[in-house]
Amino acid sequence: ILVAFVVIGANLAAIPETFATIVRSAFGLEPALGGILGAAIQWGVKRGIYSNEAGQGTAPIAAATAEVNHPVKQGLVQAFSVYVDTWLVCTATALMILVTGSYNIIGPDGAALVENLPDTEAGAAFTQNAIDSLLPGFGSAFVAIALLLFAFTTLLAYYYYTESNLVYLFKSGPARKRATQIVRILFLALTFYGTIKSAKLAWAMGDVGVGLMAWINLVAIILLSPHVFRCLKDFETQSKTGKDPSFDPQAANLPKATFWKR
């Protein structure tokens, strides 16, 4: 975030025109790009889902480990993280790329509509070039280290999600142990496979996986929404009286929330 702000700060004069370009492009008003509005929306949705995990059903697995005295407190933290991830981190990265002109635009037919960086594939290279425009030679190393940390923590998180699901699905010790061993081998194999195949294939597989998770999770959200609203109402009622909200399943009309009884 700091590096992005430094690059943006050095190109402050370009900010107004950059926002104007974003708005024109978003509504198909940019003459050169008007024909790819549908493709741009599709690309934005596919990549936007990755930015904060909202709606996938994975973040609640990590959120459930938090020590709070009311579930809505952690729910509000999770909601706030969407603003941090997408509005702050992603917007800062996008502005850094746009104000420095470090991008290409490829049409649906594969032809280049804008080619500021010849022979450069879309992705991390855009960010590297944006940083290099202000700090020559620094961008490649910095982004490489950042990606290493992002990838490593993402793998840790997704493995944790996977094992959490196994614990829920397999109640007996021996069956759970066998399933865990199989998943660990499979996880390592897929991680290695991803390193030797193209980024395009990895993104395509990720899109399919995330899409499946989102569709399943949307059904779960619809089914659970009445319980969520009861929790929120209980939280707001206690907050209005000046209390530090504390969750009581009976008072919130959620008697099956047995974990909170314990």
Side-chain angles (χ1 to χ4, degrees):
I1 293 172
L2 178 61
V3 170
F5 283 169
V6 168
V7 175
I8 293 168
N11 294 274
L12 278 178
I15 295 291
E17 178 55 31
T18 298
F19 274 111
T21 301
I22 290 171
V23 172
R24 288 197 302 267
S25 300
F27 292 99
L29 303 176
E30 192 75 38
L33 311 177
I36 64 166
L37 182 60
I41 292 173
Q42 181 188 47
W43 185 266
V45 170
K46 284 163 67 175
R47 293 295 166 263
I49 289 172
Y50 285 97
S51 71
N52 55 60
E53 295 189 64
Q56 289 183 39
T58 48
I61 301 172
T65 65
E67 292 286 345
V68 290
N69 56 2
H70 200 293
V72 170
K73 288 185 177 181
Q74 187 60 24
L76 293 172
V77 169
Q78 293 303 118
F80 179 67
S81 73
V82 174
Y83 293 93
V84 175
D85 283 345
T86 303
W87 279 22
L88 180 58
V89 179
C90 291
T91 301
T93 307
L95 281 176
M96 176 172 63
I97 290 169
L98 292 171
V99 297
T100 58
S102 302
Y103 61 90
N104 299 324
I105 299 176
I106 307 299
D109 59 356
L113 300 176
V114 176
E115 194 171 25
N116 296 327
L117 303 172
D119 303 319
T120 301
E121 187 177 349
F126 289 179
T127 311
Q128 291 174 339
N129 277 278
I131 298 171
D132 279 337
S133 69
L134 181 66
L135 305 166
F138 178 66
S140 298
F142 175 77
V143 173
I145 293 169
L147 281 174
L148 172 66
L149 296 173
F150 287 145
F152 181 67
T153 52
T154 300
L155 287 170
L156 287 179
Y158 269 80
Y159 178 76
Y160 174 74
Y161 298 158
T162 306
E163 193 160 302
S164 296
N165 282 286
L166 286 177
V167 169
Y168 179 79
L169 292 170
F170 295 92
K171 305 300 181 185
S172 68
R176 183 190 298 171
K177 188 176 181 180
R178 283 194 298 272
T180 302
Q181 289 172 340
I182 292 169
V183 164
R184 284 175 180 171
I185 294 170
L186 183 62
F187 201 88
L188 288 171
L190 285 171
T191 303
F192 175 73
Y193 182 75
T195 65
I196 60 174
K197 292 296 178 180
S198 69
K200 188 175 181 180
L201 176 64
W203 280 112
M205 292 173 68
D207 288 338
V208 171
V210 168
L212 289 172
M213 282 196 298
W215 278 111
I216 293 168
N217 192 56
L218 282 171
V219 176
I221 288 173
I222 292 168
L223 295 175
L224 290 170
S225 58
H227 306 299
V228 174
F229 285 120
R230 279 187 213 140
C231 280
L232 180 60
K233 184 179 179 181
D234 176 67
F235 179 84
E236 290 177 336
T237 300
Q238 293 188 55
S239 295
K240 286 175 183 176
T241 62
K243 291 182 183 177
D244 177 20
S246 182
F247 188 63
D248 178 357
Q250 294 292 343
N253 194 22
L254 288 164
K256 293 183 179 180
T258 54
F259 173 84
W260 290 92
K261 292 178 183 177
R262 297 196 295 270

